[in-house]
Amino acid sequence: MANFAFEGRWPLDKTSMRPGLATSALVVLSLLLLPIGAASAASGDALPHSPLSPEAKASLQLSGKPAGGTADHSRFEILQQDFKSGPEVTKACLSCHTEAADQVQHTLHWKWQTTNEATGQTLGKRTVINAFCGNVASNEPRCTSCHAGYGWEDMRKDPPSEPEAVDCLVCHADTALYSKYPTKAGHPLYEPITVNGKTEMPPDLGKAARSVTNPQRQNCGSCHYYGGGGDGVKHGDLDSSLNQPDKTLDVHMNKDGLNMACTACHAGSGHQWPGSRYSMEAKPTTVARDGEETKTAKIRKLDQLASLMEPSATCESCHSNRPHDGSDLMGIKLNDHTDTVACQTCHIPEFARGGVATKTLWDWSTAGKLKDGKPYKDMDEHGHPSYMSEKGNFEYGENIKPFYAWFNGETTWTLLDDKIDPTKVVEINALGGSPSDGKSRIWPFKQMLSRQPYDMETNQLVYNHVFGKDDTALWTNFDWSKSVPAAMDFIGKDFSGKLGFVDTHMYWPITHMVAPKDQAVRCTECHAKQGRLDGITGIYMPGRDTFKWLDWIGYAAFGLTVLGVLFHALLRIIFRNRKKQA
């Protein structure tokens, strides 16, 4: 469940965002040839506007094609008004972008549900149990503050079907001008509100509407950075440090370099963005052009990439599966690794590198403790919460080496109706893959450790009702005997009343925070005893593994090679002397 912070507002670091940058999706650019009369541009100074300066345009993050546009939304007459609600803004947007809402409402971002064709499982935020806040159902409208729409308050029902329920601004507006409120089911504030003595003001929806352009990293990050309860908590390779990263943090997003937006790699159309973690392409097929394998794509030629990219967010989409210079032995050998080793395995040596810690352990079993009848919080030496009455115990980490495993792109999830073995660690999303299936490569992951509630009689995981002011919400009453039965009753599932806690693992693919090539993982870090890939099985790895007969054969082959070279040199010396005598 995304962004489960208990505080009253998202922990956005607005000081790190570029003021005045406009944000909008790639599909907007394709729809900018507007019908005459649909939206009229102002002439002279008749309408207030602030078109982007050349400097501001140059600072826009690079999307799937070079930055640029044919329209300045600050000049559109229909946007020169004081909007009273988010749906009013969307209605104005749809007067020109007539197909946008229908496109959004057919995406995973909207439905939060998908069927994995390989496993047959129904997955998505609406369905799965995760190792962080657990479940969405019964915790609306807190969780749907990160839904791409307005007003979804019940997971037992489909999201709203009205076109105006789509939130255009969350992906397209300047994040300095617009944000959702964390307890309003996707809506922003419409009236001032006072929380803990501090007054929060609603955003100016008119200014936000006039600020749109391609989505910047801040737009995607407003939800994806803060999943699981705070900045960097969930993914480990996605946090607010990527708003303005330097080259050492990410070579693609480097603010002084390529400055890529998320959509540069997650390059889709019709609001369909590739890159879902529910079904990935762990070993992409080779891109071909004119019957030949493509060479490494040069980023400066992004205008040519439309014909090169695969329909998925993979490294090979730009770099092919032979990305290294093959003019020397090292490059040839590195290219030989791409069929069994994912690019990220070598090029992301550590995650949580930007100064934002990620959560590595969450123990729900300790939640509910009180001091003097009141909830409390303990902090660790780095200023991170180590205990909260609402959520239990935590551990955090930075600069973390990934967990490595064979991965074919598929995961099998432990869902609500699945039986578990509480004597073993439960794999929330077990990784598919093996060294012999021809589809797998060695991938890096964040392995999240958690301890979660389950029904001791049925041996099944359970839902937990945490958010709300009602007496059954764990964050209000701190009573497990009420919160779990309330959640299970909400979704119409039985609960025996016998509550236990089981250890779980959850895996998050590490694909961001790509380091410069001179900081890539060195050969000896893997080809060594107790090296990075010590846990990888099913293959013989020189330098790590020993096999008596194979080793002796190798020694013998090396020795015979040396003897052959020496014998050849000796023969050349002998016959050279004979030739001179002749």
Side-chain angles (χ1 to χ4, degrees):
M1 183 155 51
N3 190 25
F4 223 133
F6 192 58
E7 292 76 12
R9 193 167 178 83
W10 280 349
L12 293 177
D13 180 11
K14 294 183 179 178
T15 61
S16 66
M17 300 178 184
R18 290 185 178 138
L21 288 185
T23 51
S24 116
L26 287 174
V27 70
V28 173
L29 291 178
S30 67
L31 297 173
L32 288 178
L33 296 178
L34 305 178
I36 295 177
S40 60
S43 59
D45 295 322
L47 295 176
H49 66 275
S50 55
L52 291 176
S53 66
E55 294 78 12
K57 288 182 178 180
S59 70
L60 289 176
Q61 295 162 14
L62 187 63
S63 295
K65 52 185 176 181
T70 59
D72 176 3
H73 284 69
S74 70
R75 302 175 68 94
F76 289 174
E77 184 175 8
I78 197 171
L79 301 181
Q80 312 301 322
Q81 57 178 296
D82 294 326
F83 295 99
K84 303 301 181 183
S85 70
E88 284 187 15
V89 176
T90 301
K91 185 176 181 180
C93 298
L94 295 177
S95 66
C96 294
H97 304 287
T98 57
E99 309 307 308
D102 181 67
Q103 291 173 353
V104 171
Q105 289 176 336
H106 285 85
T107 67
L108 183 59
H109 272 112
W110 182 260
K111 295 185 291 184
W112 282 12
Q113 186 168 293
T114 183
T115 299
N116 186 313
E117 296 181 0
T119 64
Q121 290 186 304
T122 300
L123 304 173
K125 295 174 70 66
R126 188 177 178 183
T127 303
V128 303
I129 297 174
N130 64 52
F132 294 85
C133 296
N135 50 280
V136 176
S138 81
N139 295 306
E140 311 89 343
R142 181 63 185 87
C143 297
T144 52
S145 64
C146 264
H147 183 243
Y150 302 114
W152 195 8
E153 297 182 346
D154 192 338
M155 287 292 109
R156 297 169 299 183
K157 302 176 182 178
D158 291 334
S161 59
E162 299 81 10
E164 294 81 5
V166 173
D167 184 355
C168 302
L169 296 177
V170 71
C171 295
H172 298 285
D174 186 339
T175 54
L177 299 176
Y178 178 82
S179 63
K180 293 168 173 284
Y181 197 73
T183 60
K184 300 293 184 181
H187 286 278
L189 283 178
Y190 298 130
E191 299 290 341
I193 186 173
T194 301
V195 179
N196 298 325
K198 181 180 179 181
T199 300
E200 300 279 355
M201 299 300 295
D204 185 326
L205 297 177
K207 286 185 178 179
R210 294 188 288 272
S211 75
V212 301
T213 187
N214 285 350
Q216 306 292 277
R217 292 185 294 271
Q218 293 91 324
N219 291 97
C220 303
S222 65
C223 280
H224 290 285
Y225 293 164
Y226 299 96
D231 192 3
V233 162
K234 183 180 288 185
H235 295 271
D237 62 343
L238 284 173
D239 59 51
S240 63
S241 67
L242 292 177
N243 283 338
Q244 303 292 336
D246 59 19
K247 183 178 180 179
T248 61
L249 180 56
D250 192 287
V251 296
H252 300 112
M253 302 187 208
N254 174 20
K255 66 182 186 299
D256 298 318
L258 295 171
N259 200 27
M260 284 181 162
C262 302
T263 51
C265 290
H266 298 272
S269 61
H271 288 90
Q272 295 280 356
W273 308 110
S276 170
R277 61 190 169 89
Y278 293 115
S279 182
M280 299 171 55
E281 203 173 5
K283 188 176 181 180
T285 54
T286 302
V287 182
R289 188 181 189 187
D290 298 330
E292 296 182 1
E293 181 182 311
T294 62
K295 305 299 182 183
T296 301
K298 300 300 183 183
I299 301 303
R300 64 176 178 270
K301 298 180 180 179
L302 277 179
D303 57 323
Q304 301 176 8
L305 287 186
S307 62
L308 299 181
M309 284 186 173
E310 298 173 355
S312 61
T314 67
C315 302
E316 289 81 359
S317 294
C318 288
H319 297 289
S320 85
N321 66 346
R322 314 294 290 178
H324 307 97
D325 183 2
S327 62
D328 58 29
L329 183 59
M330 177 60 77
I332 293 172
K333 195 57 186 175
L334 290 175
N335 284 335
D336 285 343
H337 280 64
T338 59
D339 62 335
T340 54
V341 181
C343 303
Q344 296 90 329
T345 297
C346 294
H347 290 279
I348 309 179
E350 296 175 337
F351 58 89
R353 300 200 320 272
V356 178
T358 188
K359 193 170 289 185
T360 58
L361 179 145
W362 188 331
D363 185 355
W364 275 101
S365 68
T366 60
K369 297 178 182 178
L370 304 174
K371 284 185 178 180
D372 300 324
K374 297 181 180 180
Y376 68 98
K377 178 192 296 186
D378 291 330
M379 309 297 286
D380 65 18
E381 64 273 20
H382 301 291
H384 307 125
S386 59
Y387 179 79
M388 294 175 65
S389 296
E390 296 90 346
K391 302 179 180 180
N393 284 94
F394 311 119
E395 290 182 6
Y396 287 79
E398 295 184 53
N399 303 309
I400 303 170
K401 288 184 179 180
F403 170 88
Y404 299 98
W406 289 105
F407 186 47
N408 63 8
E410 297 295 342
T411 51
T412 302
W413 289 71
T414 301
L415 302 176
L416 194 67
D417 294 330
D418 294 329
K419 297 290 185 179
I420 65 170
D421 182 352
T423 66
K424 300 179 180 179
V425 175
V426 175
E427 304 286 298
I428 294 294
N429 57 335
L431 302 173
S434 74
S436 58
D437 63 8
K439 301 178 181 179
S440 300
R441 295 192 296 179
I442 299 169
W443 267 72
F445 295 90
K446 172 186 173 179
Q447 184 186 58
M448 178 65 186
L449 311 180
S450 190
R451 191 162 175 78
Q452 299 178 240
Y454 81 103
D455 189 322
M456 296 178 67
E457 185 170 298
T458 63
N459 285 336
Q460 293 172 308
L461 297 177
V462 294
Y463 278 8
N464 185 23
H465 176 46
V466 297
F467 173 76
K469 295 183 178 180
D470 56 287
D471 183 61
T472 61
L474 184 66
W475 293 352
T476 300
N477 201 42
F478 307 98
D479 189 344
W480 283 103
S481 67
K482 293 183 178 181
S483 64
V484 170
M488 298 298 283
D489 181 67
F490 179 82
I491 59 173
K493 295 287 186 178
D494 294 331
F495 173 59
S496 71
K498 297 180 180 179
L499 181 67
F501 291 87
V502 63
D503 292 328
T504 66
H505 286 164
M506 190 174 186
Y507 301 95
W508 296 84
I510 297 299
T511 59
H512 310 93
M513 298 187 176
V514 178
K517 61 182 180 181
D518 59 356
Q519 297 178 18
V521 174
R522 300 304 174 193
C523 303
T524 52
E525 295 185 56
C526 297
H527 292 275
K529 294 185 181 301
Q530 298 181 333
R532 284 178 177 262
L533 302 186
D534 192 49
I536 295 295
T537 60
I539 57 172
Y540 177 86
M541 186 179 298
R544 183 197 71 170
D545 302 323
T546 57
F547 184 71
K548 184 176 180 180
W549 292 110
L550 184 60
D551 289 342
W552 278 110
I553 292 173
Y555 296 148
F558 177 76
L560 290 173
T561 301
V562 172
L563 289 175
V565 171
L566 293 175
F567 183 68
H568 177 73
L570 180 62
L571 289 177
R572 288 180 63 87
I573 292 172
I574 293 172
F575 284 103
R576 182 183 61 183
N577 293 334
R578 289 185 178 181
K579 184 177 181 180
K580 288 181 179 180
Q581 292 173 1

